[in-house]
Amino acid sequence: MDRYQSFANSGFGRFVVGRLGLPRPHPLRRHVPGQPPLDGPVLLGGGGRLVEPVRAALGSMGAEVAAEVGTDAGRPAALVFDASGIDSVERLRELHEFFHPVIRSLGPSGRVVVLGAPPASTGSTGSRIAQRALEGFTRSVGKELKRGGTAQLVLVAPGAEDAVESTLRFLLSGRSAYVSGQVIRVGPARVGAPEDWERPLAGKVALVTGAARGIGAAIAEVLGRDGAHVVCLDVPAQGEELSKVANRVGGSSLQLDVTAADAPARLVEHLDLRHGGVDVVVHNAGITRDKTLGRMDAARWDAVVAVNLASQVRVNEALLAADALRPDGRVIGVSSIAGIAGNVGQTNYATTKAGVIGMVDALSAEVAGRATVNAVAPGFIETKMTAAVPLVIREAGRRMNSLSQGGLPVDVAEAIAWFAHPASSGVNGNVVRVCGQSLLGA
Amino acid sequence: MDRYQSFANSGFGRFVVGRLGLPRPHPLRRHVPGQPPLDGPVLLGGGGRLVEPVRAALGSMGAEVAAEVGTDAGRPAALVFDASGIDSVERLRELHEFFHPVIRSLGPSGRVVVLGAPPASTGSTGSRIAQRALEGFTRSVGKELKRGGTAQLVLVAPGAEDAVESTLRFLLSGRSAYVSGQVIRVGPARVGAPEDWERPLAGKVALVTGAARGIGAAIAEVLGRDGAHVVCLDVPAQGEELSKVANRVGGSSLQLDVTAADAPARLVEHLDLRHGGVDVVVHNAGITRDKTLGRMDAARWDAVVAVNLASQVRVNEALLAADALRPDGRVIGVSSIAGIAGNVGQTNYATTKAGVIGMVDALSAEVAGRATVNAVAPGFIETKMTAAVPLVIREAGRRMNSLSQGGLPVDVAEAIAWFAHPASSGVNGNVVRVCGQSLLGA
């Protein structure tokens, strides 16, 4: 908890904060290995093609499924509604009928998941409009929830009904603590449940660039926790910190400047010789060189493009050309709220982070069926970098979201682990914000 | 100008506002009939397939085109860059090369327009990534511009090079005063230049719902100014105000509750009998019934869905079934920032406004080639409705955008007139925010 958050949740702090109408950031429930994903029953409603597959998935994850509130089961920890069958705007009323009586009984860090169909996949104009309308509903619910609650919309393609479990496990658990207001698309999966949901990446090799610090180190830790051998990559200048991270996660380290002309070839050679290829590639390395455009010299532009985008494009090309990305591989980018909404002083950075979204769009289509390509887009994450931001701007960034607090590096890492999961082969072409439903947007 | 804006632009106000780091909203240049669209030369750069068609369009609108800054032509009023040929992330550098030396010379209410290609229309992964990256660049530039400047990205489909003039005229002129940070897609046009650019809708019939007040009345006025006969529709209770608007714009009035079961049939009959059909349909009628979801009764949900979405779907169906929408027709919806980002207390309203986006998606595909379907999504617009919002919330809504001020109803109306324009037949399936590049987003 940051200092304001501690204060706001203390006895006196609650009083002051309440009287002044200030935000009261609720401590978020986060994933603890071995603990159940939810601390209460799931209320399941709606009547589309997804109800039964979702019920089965909830059973598989050990969640208790209730039909109504007020039984002995106690406060619901999650409200899950299958809206995929809603085929007219009049029938949107079913959302109100399900949520209105129960939304206020949702427990702390509660979860709302609305399930729908990709609008263009539906048969009629009425369905298409109604399915698109779910987005406005879900995002509003996300903004209304208190005490750490989140709301998401999951659009499940026809034929992908059995592919939702990894996504539900992520969204319902504390792994998605800082994810809210997102629209996630799930298509048919090629691979079902892993042998062990606690170590789904056992036997896999994951590459994480920029792994020496901050978000990159957290990604390495979470992928290591999930069973992967993590190849931690960073520039030679970060060598010492990099080794520490690699040792901590039981992985290996690779000192390499990804912008060097021969870096893609050397990287592919390393992965091929040492590991026989790679399963998960996380392009996390990124830098900022902020200046408004009129004062930004060419060096600042070039450096940011080289690290944040050009090197990633070249590494992808080399991996695919050498067939070093193993079957059912994962390529995961790190975009940013700035890449979606733009930002003052960051024409260079925002260009590259929007380019990462372009990489997801282009490559996910190219490799569909044999790999997935997705990205996270972090909002305000508590790191050394954000700790250096001036107080007022930092506080604005931290509070201007539905959860009134910054996220942690682990929150970004958990979203990446969900993409990396073997059961997530139906999750392709998504850009998911890890931003607490930041107010900032395009 | 609102009172804060007047103060901030006064001599003493400038001092106070500058010392306190408060926003200084610059008076925006707006369209005045008969005046030239721009008050200075256009600097045109880049080297794609769009440079020459754009040069021709700029000539047609009477703009002076300069090759570089610092000539006798004075400060540029607009910077237009054709990035459609950028086919690698390295070549994104051309953005920096063009804009860096000249961006600070841009005059007040200056315009930045970046032209690109729809990423999926390009041939290579590199092009696709680079074209997508333009969005992050343009949105950042929009946030950096001072003194009423705006920045947009226009994605021109292959074969649509000659279809950009109506869009350029809109974006470069004061008609787009409150539009910034938008991504607009232009496809091939069926109809070229109108006989008279000052009265492009001469001989056309336009229907505007909710026309008695506020934004609806402004829409009726602007479409009337542009030469259309405007059928002003509103509920009988607004009859008196409605007649005044209809008289003022030289149109006719129609008292009708669009939610009535027989309303679509009566409306189609009226348009057919009196006018032989309709060219432009603007679904502007909308209501709010705010409550958080747990406290929102079913009547509030139903009323908002009925007015804001269900009636529009039924009217569209009736118009298309009766073939009452004339060739090269226009259907224009009014969405909202709340429909994109969600809003507290507006699960009903945001659902309908997201549904309007679904209507654009679904119907624009359905009628492509014989009509266009687009929507505006207003942000904070100065109306009687927003004047009633409590001061602090009102000031937050008003200032939290790149122009640090609210928009005017005429700004929404001008965007609608651009969609309605006969030369805009290539503008289909767009949702364009009229929000001053509001910080709020999804």
Side-chain angles (χ1 to χ4, degrees), chain A residues 355-406:
Chain A
V356 169
I357 298 174
M359 188 176 84
V360 170
D361 294 343
L363 213 58
S364 64
E366 201 177 316
V367 303
R370 57 197 172 97
T372 70
V373 186
N374 297 283
V376 291
F380 188 96
I381 304 295
E382 304 283 356
T383 62
K384 278 186 190 168
M385 200 172 82
T386 51
V389 170
L391 178 73
V392 173
I393 296 175
R394 188 169 76 235
E395 273 301 294
R398 206 175 244 161
R399 306 297 165 209
M400 280 172 60
N401 59 70
S402 293
L403 300 170
S404 305
Q405 61 194 286

Side-chain angles (χ1 to χ4, degrees), chain B residues 219-262:
Chain B
I219 297 166
E221 279 174 37
V222 168
L223 297 182
R225 177 203 72 192
D226 282 0
H229 176 90
V230 184
V231 178
C232 303
L233 182 150
D234 216 312
V235 290
Q238 300 287 339
E240 203 172 323
E241 286 190 84
L242 184 68
S243 296
K244 282 185 198 161
V245 173
N247 289 339
R248 203 160 65 228
V249 307
S252 51
S253 67
L254 175 61
Q255 296 183 18
L256 189 66
D257 175 354
V258 284
T259 65
D262 64 347

Side-chain angles (χ1 to χ4, degrees), chain A residues 202-215:
Chain A
K204 305 272 185 183
V205 175
L207 169 73
V208 179
T209 69
R213 290 184 303 178
I215 291 173

Side-chain angles (χ1 to χ4, degrees), chain A residues 216-310:
Chain A
I219 297 167
E221 280 175 38
V222 168
L223 297 182
R225 176 202 72 191
D226 282 0
H229 175 91
V230 184
V231 178
C232 302
L233 183 150
D234 217 312
V235 290
Q238 300 288 337
E240 203 172 322
E241 287 190 84
L242 183 68
S243 297
K244 283 185 198 160
V245 173
N247 289 339
R248 203 161 63 230
V249 307
S252 52
S253 67
L254 176 61
Q255 296 183 19
L256 189 67
D257 176 354
V258 284
T259 65
D262 63 348
R266 284 180 55 199
L267 177 55
V268 168
E269 193 190 348
H270 177 91
L271 292 169
D272 258 343
L273 287 181
R274 299 282 182 91
H275 305 284
V278 64
D279 298 284
V280 179
V281 175
V282 184
H283 290 297
N284 166 71
I287 60 169
T288 55
R289 294 286 183 274
D290 296 359
K291 280 280 178 191
T292 55
L293 185 53
R295 298 177 191 279
M296 181 185 288
D297 57 32
R300 283 173 194 269
W301 180 275
D302 292 342
V304 169
V305 171
V307 176
N308 298 11
L309 191 56

Side-chain angles (χ1 to χ4, degrees), chain A residues 16-105:
Chain A
V16 172
V17 157
R19 292 300 289 261
L20 294 176
L22 294 173
R24 188 153 72 82
H26 196 274
L28 304 182
R29 176 168 60 91
R30 287 192 168 85
H31 173 68
V32 178
Q35 284 193 6
L38 283 158
D39 52 11
V42 178
L43 209 60
L44 176 62
R49 60 190 159 85
L50 294 162
V51 171
E52 291 315 316
V54 164
R55 191 188 305 279
L58 293 171
S60 159
M61 75 181 77
E64 185 188 351
V65 181
E68 52 189 278
V69 180
T71 61
D72 295 341
R75 274 177 175 279
L79 307 172
V80 178
F81 185 78
D82 176 10
S84 65
I86 293 182
D87 57 3
S88 72
V89 301
E90 286 80 8
R91 284 191 57 197
L92 288 166
R93 197 174 207 280
E94 296 169 23
L95 292 169
H96 181 269
E97 285 164 4
F98 176 75
F99 285 104
H100 165 66
V102 297
I103 191 93
R104 289 161 74 191
S105 67

Side-chain angles (χ1 to χ4, degrees), chain A residues 87-90 92 124-130 133, chain B residues 258-259 264 267-268 281 283 285 305-321 331 352 355-360 362-363 366:
Chain A
D87 57 3
S88 72
V89 301
E90 286 80 8
L92 288 166
S124 68
T125 304
S127 313
R128 197 165 169 178
I129 296 172
Chain B
V258 284
T259 65
L267 177 54
V268 168
V281 175
H283 290 297
V305 171
V307 176
N308 296 13
L309 191 56
S311 68
Q312 303 186 9
V313 173
R314 291 167 58 228
V315 165
N316 291 339
E317 282 170 1
L319 284 168
L320 293 176
V331 177
T352 63
V356 168
I357 298 173
M359 188 175 85
V360 170
L363 212 58
E366 199 177 317

